[in-house]
Amino acid sequence: MKSQRKIRYRTAAGVLALSSALVLSACGSDDNSDSGDDNGSGESSAAAGGGDITCGGSGELLASGSSAQDNAIQQWVADYQAACPDVTVNYKPVGSGAGIEEFLSGQTAFAGSDSALEPAEVEKSMEVCKDGKGINLPMVGGPVAVAYHLEGVDELVLDAETMANVFSGEITNWNDEAIAKLNPDAELPDTKIQPVHRSDESGTTDNFTAYLNTVAKDAWPHEADKKWPIEGGQAASGSAGVSSQVKQTDGAISYMEISHAEANDLTTVLLDTGAAEPVAATVENASTAIGVGERVGEAPDMELELDYATKEEGAYPITLVTYEIVCDKGNKPESLDAMKSFLSYTASEAGQQSVIDVGYAPLPADMATEVAKTVDSLS
């Protein structure tokens, strides 16, 4: 059973303010070493991404997993490697499920996942994490946008029940009465709806199906899962794959991390949550949702629980938090210093702020501080 100890992460204003500085400056572990300039502690520091990066280790740092965080990872890698050329970070966006499998088989130093480890996965991690186990470190958040391609329709409102019926195939045409009722001013064409889902096991799918099952259970009885629960239909691999397919297909709709929708110039659905106004899939609105999230993992694990059914004004509930999954103890000694150095940067003020412009929501300040402390304690 997962722990039910809950800690709420909120700013004084009740939501995460994007414009406020995160309180942590970049740091590295005390025993990191680097072949660059010596600052007296076996580490080297360089300015990048608007703050100091403390370099550590050398060689190749292998990781894989979530495609939803890929654009954030690429930003972090560019910042980090400009400051720390002795480390090459190699991240493969193969999807959360595949990333966890590679981590559990000892192929990578850490995995990226849009959903926390399952109890059976934690158990299996003990084979790789000598004298330790796999833990979840939240690192970045963002909205799971529902993006569509429908000629002549530049704004579209859906609620959870209607969305569930669209993705289950119960609603088949865009001018269906249920959609028209939510969009009285739109000229909806009699175009066939073509839902697209992820073909790979994905934390994005897990979050999206969790939302539908929580808020529209009668219309979506399927439990949350990394694997799409309905047979057939159009599918593509990764957030890049589904976004590309939607762009090419009139009538298509899918779910994806917001930066992939923006990269393909796709229009995203406004979500009727029961709040006074429909809520857009934006970084700011995702941050509002993350800010009222609660921690359910026991230290050093930092698994979070978000409220998919929230009706708080400006809170976009289909929001995911991407975890970096590491061993608390028993990490690979050849990559430990480099991993701690890199993840210390990603959790820092500079690292968190650097990914806002590519469509990601930074962590609440107190959460980021605790993540960095946990990274520093890894062994």
Side-chain angles (χ1 to χ4, degrees):
M1 295 290 292
K2 294 180 181 178
S3 165
Q4 295 302 307
R5 184 177 68 91
K6 298 185 178 181
I7 301 173
R8 187 176 293 273
Y9 288 99
R10 306 188 69 159
T11 63
V15 297
L16 175 64
L18 288 175
S19 59
S20 66
L22 300 175
V23 299
L24 177 70
S25 60
C27 61
S29 68
D30 291 340
D31 63 351
N32 283 355
S33 62
D34 187 77
S35 58
D37 295 336
D38 191 353
N39 63 9
S41 64
E43 301 172 340
S44 65
S45 298
D52 289 338
I53 292 177
T54 301
C55 302
S58 61
E60 189 173 35
L61 179 61
L62 297 176
S64 65
S66 165
S67 64
Q69 74 162 352
D70 186 40
N71 290 335
I73 286 281
Q74 297 311 317
Q75 179 65 54
W76 285 328
V77 169
D79 294 343
Y80 181 79
Q81 291 189 171
C84 306
D86 289 340
V87 176
T88 299
V89 183
N90 185 346
Y91 181 83
K92 297 186 299 180
V94 294
S96 298
I100 290 173
E101 283 299 316
E102 291 187 356
F103 172 76
L104 293 178
S105 63
Q107 298 179 48
T108 55
F110 68 92
S113 177
D114 305 320
S115 55
L117 290 171
E118 297 292 338
E121 292 169 335
V122 175
E123 183 75 19
K124 187 175 181 181
S125 73
M126 296 178 185
E127 300 173 9
V128 176
C129 307
K130 305 304 180 185
D131 299 320
K133 63 182 179 180
I135 60 172
N136 307 284
L137 298 180
M139 197 60 72
V140 72
V144 178
V146 180
Y148 66 96
H149 177 180
L150 188 59
E151 297 295 337
V153 180
D154 297 326
E155 184 174 296
L156 185 72
V157 177
L158 295 177
D159 59 18
E161 181 179 0
T162 306
M163 192 179 297
N165 285 326
V166 164
F167 278 90
S168 69
E170 290 296 317
I171 294 177
T172 59
N173 288 69
W174 279 109
N175 62 349
D176 186 272
E177 181 180 353
I179 300 176
K181 185 177 180 180
L182 291 165
N183 299 273
D185 298 326
E187 294 185 9
L188 298 169
D190 186 21
T191 301
K192 182 182 178 181
I193 299 174
Q194 302 194 54
V196 182
H197 63 267
R198 290 280 291 272
S199 60
D200 54 323
E201 289 195 7
S202 160
T204 309
T205 298
D206 195 26
N207 280 271
F208 183 62
T209 55
Y211 168 74
L212 295 179
N213 183 257
T214 300
V215 186
K217 192 174 184 65
D218 289 343
W220 191 268
H222 314 285
E223 295 291 336
D225 202 311
K226 296 185 185 75
K227 182 179 180 180
W228 186 251
I230 300 174
E231 294 292 332
Q234 297 189 44
S237 179
S239 295
V242 294
S243 59
S244 177
Q245 192 155 331
V246 171
K247 183 175 183 178
Q248 297 170 17
T249 309
D250 187 30
I253 185 169
S254 189
Y255 55 93
M256 65 199 68
E257 189 273 327
I258 187 65
S259 66
H260 289 277
E262 293 173 345
N264 284 278
D265 295 321
L266 296 175
T267 309
T268 58
V269 165
L270 300 173
L271 199 59
D272 183 347
T273 64
E277 297 292 335
V279 185
T282 66
V283 169
E284 292 82 0
N285 293 342
S287 291
T288 301
I290 294 171
V292 296
E294 297 177 319
R295 173 177 169 177
V296 295
E298 288 282 0
D301 184 73
M302 293 184 65
E303 180 183 352
L304 304 177
E305 183 177 272
L306 301 181
D307 182 6
Y308 291 117
T310 182
K311 296 181 181 179
E312 183 164 337
E313 296 297 328
Y316 184 80
I318 320 178
T319 291
L320 60 79
V321 172
T322 294
Y323 300 95
E324 311 310 335
I325 293 172
V326 300
C327 299
D328 59 351
K329 298 177 182 178
N331 288 283
K332 296 174 180 293
E334 65 271 20
S335 58
L336 176 61
D337 288 347
M339 182 181 72
K340 292 174 68 171
S341 171
F342 178 67
L343 295 182
S344 290
Y345 169 62
T346 65
S348 73
E349 175 184 351
Q352 291 286 299
Q353 294 292 313
S354 73
V355 295
I356 293 175
D357 288 342
V358 289
Y360 294 87
L363 301 175
D366 54 347
M367 189 188 300
T369 300
E370 189 169 355
V371 169
K373 288 180 179 177
T374 303
V375 169
D376 194 52
S377 72
L378 300 177
S379 62

